[in-house]
């Protein structure tokens, strides 16, 4: 009897050790973003892109460190900073060493602070924060830290590219700036005003306005003001329903100039604009033309659309995050000592991006990726490279090579 | 001056849209004495059904059929839901409609997803009707105005000039007497509820392409509809019309002109503090009318409740 208990215990022990061993081979990456609530579609689409990138670009090619697999753990933060911190703790407890997050700079600010604190207090379970979409400039400036890496160009870098394009267009004499009344909307407006003043002092800012975020039922009065101001172009950082409402209203009420945006695509927006947005909507982002020139990228998009027919390849930087992380882990020779991985990641030159033939550079001073930034136009695009399966998508109209490579940073990075 | 005219038209469109929602709500309230929290959800259902129908049969079939479906659903809700809850009093009724609103929103997300739907203005109406000094008025807006006015006139005619209308009005005030005269009062109630929700459905069908068809559309309009019927006077159709137009014009004009609080305060003789940046009242001084446009109706409601609690057109005992 006693012997059998011992045997059972031994077997259980062996089993638990062996499962632990199996899990130890997985590099756990915690995805903390909204998976429920009003932003669920953006979050879920991002999660699918991460899972697909990890599976296709890393695991299917043999993983990292000669056989360790990437495993994406999904955590729903309901886009609340408070909830995100709880999920961060759960993720760390489950053994995640890499945190990816992108929706809302408010969340990113909370996470980067919490991770900095955690890493100082718990040298045994340090984690890295791979920010794929939160574009508040502060994250790589005054709030920067060694654990945070950003793969998306921030507000000022995008605005620099946008204003480069505007500056070259001599037809634009008057610009109207409108945005949502919170930190991001204000950052966009400030950047637009100061950069235009520098590059084209003759351009008049005929309106600079903020509206309540997510509360405007009808944008008609705003678009009336825009039209009657005589503006030749509109700049807005609006996203979601505010982007769609504002854009549609401006176009319906007779505005004919370009509308320069940050987020006027995917998640239903491209489909809802349809024909009306052609030659009017522009969007600044990283990424590549559609269809992408590289054959392997075309295959990748096709495979993604086959797996997620309703999904959008809307955040191309996600593949860069996965590939650069894999490359850094291989270079560091470890997935658990994140200081080594971070050291390999900073200053990395990355040439294998699906979306660019150019070299990407993780600037060590502030952990900001330097890459080409494009201004895309809303144009007819054939499936599967369109957005929302609508027959419309993004075509490159203007490119800034190595955009803002020398943009100043106030980051004073403290390395462990 | 030209912009004033444009704003009058824009405000009229907003106001009439609001009227179509509040007319049904105020009728239902005067009939059953219960505020239907799910009213804006029927507006949302109207837009979603119309979108679905417009894919297969075009916009006009959507305009025709979607409100009918919404009305039938509304009548079903009254017959099999509210009528049973009614015997337990008003609070359970309120909670029932509140729960219904949440349920409909979840259901809509479940079926159509969380994204905004590409519900578009029909091709025939997708042109500029006329322009006033560069501000174009889309034909669709003119169409919205005509539909709303037609519905108002039709409703007014039925309620005041026809036999059915007289029975409804009598049933609203003296249900027992009307019942004693041999009329089927529960059927009348069900009919009014159905028509009220169908009106909300119509509003959804024609507002969906302009204001967007997304799961939050009921929530965005829900509270303002209640404000409208409180201002207009609960149960009054004319009140609902006047209050809707009032709200439409107030919000439109407040958004169109950058009236700054600083100018108003200076105008009444208070001078701007020396160092505004440090002043504790900085936020009040720097407020502009577009920023507070959407809360002006709520301020109006509070004032109405203080000075005329029964609303602009309400009866004292309603």
């Amino acid at each position: 009897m006693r012997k059998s208990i011992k045997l059972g215990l031994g077997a259980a022990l062996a089993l638990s050790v062996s499962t632990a061993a199996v899990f130890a081979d997985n590099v756990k990456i915690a995805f903390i973003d909204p998976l429920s609530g009003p932003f669920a579609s953006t979050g879920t689409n991002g999660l699918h892109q991460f899972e697909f990138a990890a599976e296709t670009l890393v695991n299917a090619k043999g993983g990292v460190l000669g056989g360790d697999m990437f495993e994406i753990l999904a955590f729903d933060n309901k886009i609340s900073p408070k909830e995100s911190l709880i999920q961060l703790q759960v993720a760390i407890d489950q053994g995640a060493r890499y945190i990816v997050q992108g929706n809302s700079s408010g969340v990113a600010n909370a996470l980067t602070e919490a991770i900095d604190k955690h890493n100082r207090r718990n040298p045994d379970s340090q984690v890295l924060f791979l920010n794929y979409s939160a574009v508040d400039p502060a994250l790589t400036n005054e709030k920067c830290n060694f654990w945070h890496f950003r793969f998306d160009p921030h507000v000022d870098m995008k605005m620099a590219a946008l204003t480069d394009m505007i500056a070259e267009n001599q037809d634009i004499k008057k610009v109207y700036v409108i945005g949502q009344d919170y930190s991001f909307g204000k950052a966009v407006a400030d950047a637009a005003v100061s950069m235009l003043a520098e590059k084209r002092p003759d351009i008049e800012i005929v309106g600079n306005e903020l509206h309540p975020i997510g509360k405007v039922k009808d944008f008609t009065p705003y678009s009336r003001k825009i039209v009657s101001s005589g503006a030749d172009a509109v700049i807005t950082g609006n996203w979601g329903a505010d982007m769609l409402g504002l854009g549609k209203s401006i176009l319906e009420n007779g505005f004919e100039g370009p509308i320069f945006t940050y987020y006027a695509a995917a998640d239903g927006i491209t489909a809802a604009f349809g024909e009306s947005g052609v030659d009017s909507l522009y969007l600044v982002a990283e990424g590549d033309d559609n269809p992408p020139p590289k054959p392997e990228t075309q295959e990748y998009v096709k495979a993604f659309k086959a797996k997620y027919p309703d999904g959008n390849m809307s955040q191309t930087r996600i593949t860069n995050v996965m590939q650069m992380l894999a490359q850094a882990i291989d270079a560091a020779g470890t997935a658990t000592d994140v200081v080594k991985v971070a050291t390999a990641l900073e200053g990395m030159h990355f040439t294998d991006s699906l979306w660019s033939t150019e070299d990407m550079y993780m600037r060590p001073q502030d952990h900001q990726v330097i890459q080409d930034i494009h201004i895309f136009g809303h144009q007819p695009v054939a499936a599967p490279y369109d957005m929302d399966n609508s027959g419309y998508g993004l075509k490159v109209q203007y490119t800034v090579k190595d955009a803002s490579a020398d943009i100043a940073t106030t980051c004073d990075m403290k390395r462990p | 001056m030209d912009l004033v005219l444009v704003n009058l038209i824009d405000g009229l469109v907003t106001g009439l849209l609001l009227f179509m929602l509040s007319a049904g709500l105020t009728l239902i309230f005067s009939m059953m004495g219960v505020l239907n929290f799910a009213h804006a959800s029927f507006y949302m259902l109207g837009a979603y059904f119309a979108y679905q129908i417009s894919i297969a049969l075009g916009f006009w079939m959507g305009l025709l059929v979607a409100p009918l479906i919404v009305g039938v659903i509304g009548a079903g809700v009254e017959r099999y839901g509210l009528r049973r809850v009614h015997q337990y009093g008003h609070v359970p009724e309120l909670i029932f409609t509140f729960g219904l609103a949440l349920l409909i929103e979840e259901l809509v997300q479940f079926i159509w997803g969380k994204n905004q739907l590409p519900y578009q203005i029909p091709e025939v109406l997708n042109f500029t009707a006329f322009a006033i000094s560069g501000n174009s008025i889309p034909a669709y807006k003119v169409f919205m105005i005509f539909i709303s006015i037609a519905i108002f006139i039709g409703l007014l005619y039925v309620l005041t000039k026809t036999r059915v209308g007289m029975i409804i009005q009598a049933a609203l005030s003296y249900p027992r007497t009307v019942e004693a005269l041999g009329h089927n009062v529960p059927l009348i109630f069900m009919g009014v509820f159905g028509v009220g929700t169908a009106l909300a459905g119509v509003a959804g069908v024609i507002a969906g392409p302009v204001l967007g068809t997304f799961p939050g559309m009921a929530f965005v309009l829900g509270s303002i509809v209640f404000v409208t019927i409180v201002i207009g006077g609960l149960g009054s159709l004319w009140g609902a019309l006047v209050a809707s137009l009032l709200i439409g014009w107030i919000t439109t004009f407040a958004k169109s002109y950058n009236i700054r609080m600083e100018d108003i305060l200076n105008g009444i003789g208070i001078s701007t503090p020396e160092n505004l940046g440090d002043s504790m009242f900085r936020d009040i001084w720097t407020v502009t009318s577009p920023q507070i446009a959407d809360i002006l109706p709520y301020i109006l409601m509070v004032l109405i409740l203080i000075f005329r609690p029964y609303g602009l057109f309400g009866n004292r005992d309603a």
Side-chain angles (χ1 to χ4, degrees):
Chain A
M1 187 65 198
R2 181 168 283 177
K3 208 169 192 178
S4 70
I5 288 176
K6 256 187 191 163
L7 206 67
L9 268 178
L13 199 69
L15 205 67
S16 66
V17 167
S18 65
T19 50
V22 167
F23 278 118
D25 286 337
N26 276 0
V27 178
K28 292 185 182 175
I29 300 160
F31 172 91
I32 304 182
D33 257 321
L35 298 172
S36 67
F39 303 103
S41 62
T42 316
T44 313
N45 194 29
L47 175 62
H48 290 162
Q49 289 178 68
F50 265 111
E51 287 173 338
F52 193 74
E55 201 50 53
T56 319
L57 300 174
V58 181
N59 295 352
K61 294 185 177 162
V64 289
L65 303 173
D68 288 2
M69 295 297 156
F70 273 12
E71 183 189 357
I72 309 282
L73 310 173
F75 296 91
D76 179 13
N77 70 0
K78 304 178 180 71
I79 208 151
S80 131
K82 218 171 91 189
E83 189 74 23
S84 305
L85 298 185
I86 300 171
Q87 299 299 346
L88 170 68
Q89 206 51 56
V90 177
I92 294 173
D93 289 347
Q94 290 186 11
R97 289 302 174 85
Y98 304 94
I99 311 293
V100 293
Q101 182 270 344
N103 294 299
S104 170
S105 292
V107 170
N109 277 319
L111 277 179
T112 194
E113 256 173 52
I115 286 171
D116 191 31
K117 257 187 216 147
H118 169 88
N119 286 355
R120 270 187 277 128
R121 288 173 191 163
N122 306 283
D124 300 336
S125 66
Q126 288 172 328
V127 297
L128 290 190
F129 178 19
L130 310 176
N131 164 8
Y132 70 93
S133 241
V135 292
D136 184 350
L139 288 163
T140 47
N141 283 293
E142 61 267 27
K143 288 185 180 162
C144 79
N145 64 52
F146 178 71
W147 318 103
H148 168 269
F149 291 85
R150 173 152 55 197
F151 296 81
D152 197 13
H154 63 65
V155 171
D156 294 349
M157 300 166 80
K158 288 185 178 183
M159 186 53 77
L162 266 184
T163 45
D164 278 353
M165 183 180 179
I166 294 173
E168 284 178 19
N169 186 344
Q170 292 301 328
D171 292 340
I172 298 178
K173 306 268 183 234
K174 293 175 174 179
V175 170
Y176 203 103
V177 186
I178 182 166
Q180 294 154 316
D181 195 358
Y182 80 118
S183 60
F184 170 68
K186 285 177 187 161
V188 170
D190 292 348
V193 171
S194 66
M195 288 183 190
L196 281 177
E198 194 183 307
K199 291 175 189 170
R200 277 282 299 279
D202 61 311
I203 286 186
E204 188 189 345
I205 307 288
V206 289
N208 185 357
E209 174 161 43
L210 298 169
H211 65 76
I213 171 172
K215 295 220 166 54
V216 179
K217 289 179 280 295
D218 185 1
F219 278 96
T220 307
Y222 295 101
S223 45
R224 292 286 184 226
K225 272 194 282 187
I226 293 172
V227 172
S228 56
S229 72
D232 303 311
V234 174
I235 297 177
T236 178
N238 277 17
W239 44 266
D242 281 341
M243 177 62 240
L244 188 52
L246 177 71
K248 281 191 98 170
S249 172
I250 292 177
L251 293 174
E252 268 162 25
N253 289 311
F255 183 75
E256 278 162 4
I259 304 171
F260 295 102
T261 77
Y262 278 60
Y263 297 115
D267 301 326
I269 293 182
T270 302
F273 274 110
E275 175 63 34
S276 67
V278 175
D279 293 333
S280 292
L281 287 176
Y282 294 89
L283 178 151
V284 58
E286 90 309 341
D288 208 347
D289 207 358
N290 288 300
K294 287 189 180 181
E296 71 261 35
T297 311
Q298 296 189 2
E299 287 309 312
Y300 182 79
V301 176
K302 276 182 196 153
F304 178 79
K305 290 293 281 188
K307 188 164 184 194
Y308 303 104
D310 293 329
N312 278 319
M313 189 54 73
S314 53
Q315 292 166 308
T316 50
R317 51 201 173 267
I318 285 174
T319 63
N320 300 340
V321 178
M322 288 292 95
Q323 286 178 300
M324 287 175 80
L325 177 62
Q327 207 171 309
I329 288 176
D330 278 336
T334 167
T336 45
D337 186 350
V338 298
V339 176
K340 279 189 186 154
V341 178
T343 312
L345 200 51
E346 63 175 15
M348 175 190 280
H349 286 272
F350 175 62
T351 48
D352 291 343
S353 173
L354 287 173
W355 316 99
S356 175
T357 47
E358 304 287 321
D359 171 85
M360 281 178 199
Y361 177 50
M362 178 58 83
R363 197 160 74 159
Q365 295 94 309
D366 55 354
H367 290 184
Q368 168 71 50
V369 161
I370 304 296
Q371 57 189 330
D372 295 355
I373 298 182
H374 308 287
I375 317 290
F376 295 92
H378 176 98
Q379 294 290 341
V381 169
Y385 310 105
D386 57 344
M387 293 276 184
D388 304 331
N389 302 323
S390 64
Y392 294 92
L394 300 174
K395 296 286 283 178
V396 169
Q397 310 284 322
Y398 186 88
T399 298
V400 182
K401 294 256 175 231
D402 285 335
S404 304
D406 50 359
I407 195 170
T409 175
T410 58
C411 177
D412 172 24
M413 184 114 26
K414 291 183 183 56
R415 290 179 170 77
Chain B
M1 191 58 220
D2 294 331
L3 202 58
V4 173
L5 199 60
V6 175
N7 284 328
L8 278 176
I9 297 174
D10 287 341
L12 183 69
V13 174
T14 314
L16 286 174
L17 184 71
L18 207 50
F19 165 71
M20 269 197 277
L21 272 168
S22 48
L25 187 62
T26 203
L27 273 182
I28 290 168
F29 175 81
S30 57
M31 169 185 75
M32 311 184 69
V34 67
L35 279 174
N36 178 15
F37 270 112
H39 199 69
S41 308
F42 288 104
Y43 154 81
M44 173 162 73
L45 280 182
Y48 273 92
F49 287 150
Y51 164 73
Q52 204 60 50
I53 295 167
S54 71
I55 291 176
L57 302 168
F59 177 84
W60 303 103
M61 281 310 280
L63 179 62
L64 215 62
V65 179
L68 285 181
I69 304 177
V70 174
V72 169
I73 293 176
V77 164
E78 199 280 335
R79 173 68 184 81
Y80 298 103
L82 266 185
R83 198 178 295 179
R84 288 175 190 219
V85 183
H86 185 67
Q87 53 188 313
Y88 303 111
H90 283 329
V91 174
E93 278 182 317
L94 268 184
I95 295 171
F96 172 79
T97 59
F98 192 69
L100 190 66
L102 296 176
L103 186 73
I104 291 177
E105 187 176 330
E106 286 301 320
L107 215 62
V108 161
Q109 289 192 13
F110 182 73
I111 299 173
W112 284 282
K114 288 165 174 165
N115 281 345
Q116 185 127 0
L117 292 184
Y119 181 26
Q120 306 283 16
I121 292 172
E123 266 321 301
V124 258
L125 288 175
N126 203 357
F127 64 96
T128 303
F130 54 93
I132 301 170
S133 63
N135 290 288
S136 52
I137 308 290
Y140 192 74
K141 285 212 161 151
V142 181
F143 163 76
M144 282 171 83
I145 293 175
F146 276 112
I147 288 268
S148 326
I149 292 179
I151 283 178
F152 175 68
I153 293 173
L155 211 57
L156 205 62
Y157 178 78
V158 169
L159 279 179
T160 54
K161 301 281 185 222
T162 65
R163 217 181 131 69
V164 179
M166 278 188 271
I167 297 168
I168 291 173
Q169 290 211 329
L172 297 184
S173 324
Y174 306 104
R176 301 221 175 273
T177 320
V178 174
E179 203 157 28
L181 288 171
H183 295 289
N184 187 350
V185 169
L187 184 72
I188 294 172
F189 279 13
M190 190 176 91
V192 173
F193 202 94
V195 171
T197 48
L199 276 181
V202 178
V205 177
I206 64 174
V210 232
L211 300 187
T213 309
F214 56 102
M217 64 190 290
F219 179 77
V220 172
L221 266 182
S223 52
I224 196 80
V225 175
F226 286 105
V227 173
T228 312
I229 67 165
V230 170
I231 292 175
L234 292 167
S236 162
L237 200 60
W238 278 104
L241 179 70
V242 172
S244 305
L245 294 179
L246 204 60
I247 289 176
W249 278 319
I250 286 178
T251 50
T252 305
F253 276 96
K255 283 176 194 168
S256 299
Y257 296 96
N258 280 325
I259 304 163
R260 296 183 306 156
M261 190 57 111
E262 194 174 348
D263 298 337
I264 297 177
L265 290 176
N266 286 341
I268 57 172
I270 307 171
S271 58
T272 314
E274 285 289 314
N275 39 5
L276 196 58
D278 304 329
S279 169
M280 61 183 290
F281 297 116
R282 191 188 64 181
D283 286 345
I284 296 179
W285 276 95
T286 53
V287 149
T288 60
S289 62
Q291 273 178 300
I292 55 162
D294 283 314
I295 59 165
L296 287 177
Y298 298 90
I299 297 176
L300 185 65
M301 178 180 78
V302 171
L303 291 178
I304 290 273
L305 283 176
I306 293 173
F307 294 108
R308 206 180 149 86
Y310 37 90
L312 291 174
F313 286 76
N315 304 318
R316 193 172 280 274
D317 47 336

